[in-house]
């Protein structure tokens, strides 16, 4: 049984910046130096378009912001592109001499269904985007006809391993259709072209569960561990273990993190990002309303 101790709320936009009016979704950490981390998040403007911004914090006092970067690293893409309504950073992977691969969930609006997602890629070096691919690196296909979304990508030697959101279908409902998605697995030699055979990593565990999202995978001495969010009535954070990173056993009851009695994370917990720093394991996560209430930090005790 894990025991996560909540350090507390970290950040949400105050609504004064027109490009960053609300939400701080999908928090993702990048080490800067020492105990200082840059935390990327996606915020929305008045048209509900998403861009990726960042704050800097010291893990010794994470509730005191060192910096708020109001210049977006990633903005919506070109008109008609897969990301013309939003670019939401999902994961950062080592790309060797090229720098870092910033994988992001790009999305655009639909007509018969509310939206469609795909996985985009920007190459970042020394804190700036040096290349951004115009098309997605992971999208719907012959066998996945609906959409794919936020992913976790680990580089193990020459192999890129990816756990990603995959939509299995939409169901008619009022006031709008409802999606169903779970997590699948893919591999790549270059981080761009992916081999996927429909392998399901985390599947639905009961009939009312319809959304499994934002995987966060760590490999340690005990094998592979994954934290993710899953939803029936409200989002909660789930947990699974694997020996090989392909076949997983869900152990949601062991996650050891619950909603608070009141406040920003009293209704929902979602979109975890788990990382290790100097022998301690931390988790960034969103609270109520899919990140509208901001993100916070917890530590594993």
């Amino acid at each position: 049984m894990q025991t996560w101790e909540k350090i507390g709320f970290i950040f949400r936009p105050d609504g004064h910046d027109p490009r960053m009016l609300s939400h701080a979704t999908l928090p993702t950490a990048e080490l800067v130096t020492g105990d200082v981390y840059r935390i990327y998040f996606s915020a929305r403007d008045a048209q509900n378009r998403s861009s990726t911004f960042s704050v800097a914090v010291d893990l010794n006092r994470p509730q005191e912001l060192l910096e708020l970067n109001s210049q977006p690293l990633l903005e919506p893409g070109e008109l008609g592109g897969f990301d013309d309504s939003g670019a939401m950073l999902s994961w950062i992977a080592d790309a060797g001499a090229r720098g870092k691969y910033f994988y992001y969930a790009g999305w655009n609006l639909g007509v018969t269904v509310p939206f469609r997602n795909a996985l985009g890629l920007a190459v970042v070096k020394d804190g700036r985007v040096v290349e951004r691919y115009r098309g997605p690196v992971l999208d719907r296909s012959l066998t996945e006809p609906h959409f794919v979304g936020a992913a976790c990508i680990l580089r193990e030697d020459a192999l890129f391993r990816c756990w990603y959101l995959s939509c299995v279908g939409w169901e008619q409902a009022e006031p709008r259709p409802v999606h169903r998605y779970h997590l699948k697995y893919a591999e790549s030699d270059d981080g761009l072209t992916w081999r996927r055979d429909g392998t399901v990593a985390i599947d639905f565990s009961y009939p009312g569960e319809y959304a499994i999202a934002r995987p966060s995978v760590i490999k340690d001495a005990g094998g592979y561990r994954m934290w993710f969010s899953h939803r029936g009535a409200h989002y909660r954070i789930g947990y699974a273990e694997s020996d090989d990173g392909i076949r997983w056993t869900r152990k949601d009851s062991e996650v050891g993190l619950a909603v608070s009695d009141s406040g920003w994370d009293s209704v929902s917990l979602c979109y975890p990002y788990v990382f290790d720093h100097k022998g301690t394991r931390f988790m960034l996560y969103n609270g109520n309303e899919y990140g509208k209430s901001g993100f916070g930090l917890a530590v594993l005790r």
Side-chain angles (χ1 to χ4, degrees), residues 14 57 59 71 81 105 139 149 152 165 175 199 202 210 269 277 287 289:
D14 61 13
V57 302
L59 290 183
Q71 295 299 315
D139 199 356
C152 166
L165 179 157
T199 298
I202 305 293
Y210 66 94
L269 302 172
H277 178 72
E289 298 185 81

Side-chain angles (χ1 to χ4, degrees), residues 141-178:
S141 68
L142 286 173
T143 55
E144 291 179 272
H146 299 288
F147 67 80
V148 303
C152 166
I153 296 95
L154 301 185
R155 186 175 182 180
E156 297 183 1
D157 298 322
L159 183 67
F160 289 83
R161 309 188 72 184
C162 174
W163 299 267
Y164 65 97
L165 179 157
S166 174
C167 180
V168 301
W170 291 85
E171 297 177 358
Q172 288 292 344
E174 292 296 335
R176 60 183 185 175
V178 175

Side-chain angles (χ1 to χ4, degrees), residues 1-4 239 251-257 300-301:
M1 183 72 181
Q2 302 170 43
T3 302
W4 289 93
Y239 173 69
K251 299 183 176 183
D252 295 350
S253 62
E254 298 182 13
V255 74
L257 185 68
L300 187 63
R301 298 302 188 191

